[in-house]
Amino acid sequence: MNVNGKRVLVCGMARSGIAAAKLLLSLGAQVTITDTKPEADFGGALDELRAPGCVFALGQTADALIAGQDMMIISPGIAWAKPFVQSAIAQGVEVMGELELGARLTKGALVAITGTNGKTTTTTLVGELFRAAGRTTHVVGNIGYPITATAGISKADDVTVAEVSSYQCEGISQFHPHVGAVLNITEDHMNRHKTMERYIELKARVFENQKDGDSVVLNYDDPTLRALAPKAMCRVVWFSRTQIPPFGAFVREETLYFGAPDSARAICGVSEVRIPGPHNLENALAAVACAMQAGIPVAVIRHTLRTFKGV
């Protein structure tokens, strides 16, 4: 993705907006930053953006700034349905979320984890598993550290593990993780998404661009995810705390296993998983599935599960 010389409007100056603007400026884009809050409300938080090629247009709406822009980057807090977002699309401006921008510019493997509950713990654990395996790893996304903050420094051998929210999924189009995971889906964020159907649709976007050679990790105990599985155009890998799935991570006789039921490899005992509680056992199983699909050795996984304290 080449943004050199492109005119880009970045909307929303929270952490992700600042990181996106910095990345774009470093790549030669002509950036305009905007937020409904006036400049005085930011203190010195935006001082690092005072550079040639960056125009400050704070304390106003984006409507009057759209004309002439090539791209518009919106923060997760801005709903896709906002009139100015739809206006930009209608005017032919390429609109995307900060996650999409960062993912397009990230080098190396990408792992994306979403779900209503357990995202942060699972994302952090997966990051620890890759680090324990000796990989340079960036843990980003909804966890509080923008993907655009690491995209510019990522290398081909790196791994980026992203916690992804439904808000972020509104702004993706080409987003393509090598390993995706949806931990669970229960009703949430109805004030923004309006219907459960829309919320489910957004969560499923994590794997909509996956293909042969990719994997999506799904919760076998969640009926909604069982129903979504046929939509996946990649390998489906399950995890389950209560059942034995066709292939994936599961519990049998107080031991975590991974694989097909008749040939699964033992990972470790349930009692060895340091993070406590049934919900964290599910998070651990999901992380095991992600790690095994990425080729992390069982010994590394076992050690990390024994030592990971949670978040």
Side-chain angles (χ1 to χ4, degrees):
M1 179 183 181
N2 183 9
V3 298
N4 185 38
K6 293 283 184 71
R7 294 161 298 180
V8 187
L9 177 63
V10 180
C11 302
M13 283 294 108
R15 278 177 293 190
S16 64
I18 293 171
K22 284 178 64 178
L23 176 62
L24 289 161
L25 287 167
S26 74
L27 296 172
Q30 300 296 306
V31 177
T32 299
I33 62 170
T34 187
D35 194 289
T36 55
K37 293 191 298 184
E39 187 174 341
D41 286 7
F42 290 93
L46 304 180
D47 287 351
E48 58 191 329
L49 298 178
R50 295 189 185 282
C54 188
V55 174
F56 280 49
L58 302 164
Q60 56 185 291
T61 62
D63 302 73
L65 303 170
I66 294 169
Q69 301 293 338
D70 299 305
M71 296 172 58
M72 184 167 77
I73 310 301
I74 59 175
S75 76
I78 298 171
W80 201 255
K82 287 281 188 181
F84 81 86
V85 176
Q86 295 303 308
S87 175
I89 294 169
Q91 293 178 54
V93 177
E94 184 177 14
V95 181
M96 67 182 75
E98 180 266 343
L99 177 69
E100 175 77 15
L101 174 69
R104 290 194 195 183
L105 294 169
T106 291
K107 301 179 184 69
L110 176 61
V111 180
I113 296 165
T114 194
T116 306
N117 301 299
K119 295 189 296 296
T120 299
T121 296
T122 306
T123 301
T124 305
L125 175 52
V126 170
E128 288 301 307
L129 286 162
F130 277 106
R131 287 181 178 132
R135 301 288 295 276
T136 299
T137 305
H138 312 283
V139 179
V140 301
N142 194 58
I143 203 164
Y145 195 67
I147 189 172
T148 46
T150 63
I153 61 171
S154 61
K155 296 179 174 60
D157 292 333
D158 292 359
V159 179
T160 297
V161 184
E163 177 185 331
V164 178
S165 71
S166 60
Y167 287 10
Q168 290 172 313
C169 284
E170 283 190 336
I172 62 177
S173 58
Q174 299 176 23
F175 184 72
H176 179 188
H178 300 89
V179 178
V182 188
L183 306 180
N184 44 63
I185 298 181
T186 56
E187 186 172 307
D188 201 12
H189 302 307
M190 290 300 105
N191 58 325
R192 173 149 162 178
H193 302 315
K194 308 307 179 186
T195 68
M196 190 64 183
E197 289 73 19
R198 175 60 175 162
Y199 180 57
I200 293 168
E201 175 187 308
L202 288 169
K203 289 296 189 185
R205 297 200 72 190
V206 166
F207 59 84
E208 73 178 8
N209 295 315
Q210 289 188 301
K211 55 189 178 182
D212 287 346
D214 302 323
S215 304
V216 63
V217 173
L218 301 176
N219 187 345
Y220 197 70
D221 300 333
D222 188 317
T224 300
L225 293 176
R226 293 270 287 272
L228 282 178
K231 296 183 178 181
M233 302 303 291
C234 59
R235 184 174 198 181
V236 174
V237 181
W238 301 101
F239 71 93
S240 174
R241 181 173 59 86
T242 64
Q243 303 177 68
I244 309 295
F247 183 85
F250 59 91
V251 176
R252 184 167 59 197
E253 297 177 353
E254 292 300 303
T255 299
L256 275 67
Y257 285 88
F258 181 84
D262 58 353
S263 60
R265 298 182 64 182
I267 306 298
C268 69
V270 170
S271 62
E272 297 177 78
V273 178
R274 184 162 183 176
I275 47 176
H279 62 294
N280 276 325
L281 178 57
E282 292 181 3
N283 295 335
L285 287 162
V288 166
C290 291
M292 291 295 286
Q293 285 304 109
I296 295 178
V298 170
V300 171
I301 297 172
R302 182 182 300 119
H303 173 75
T304 306
L305 292 177
R306 288 170 173 169
T307 56
F308 178 68
K309 299 177 182 179
V311 295

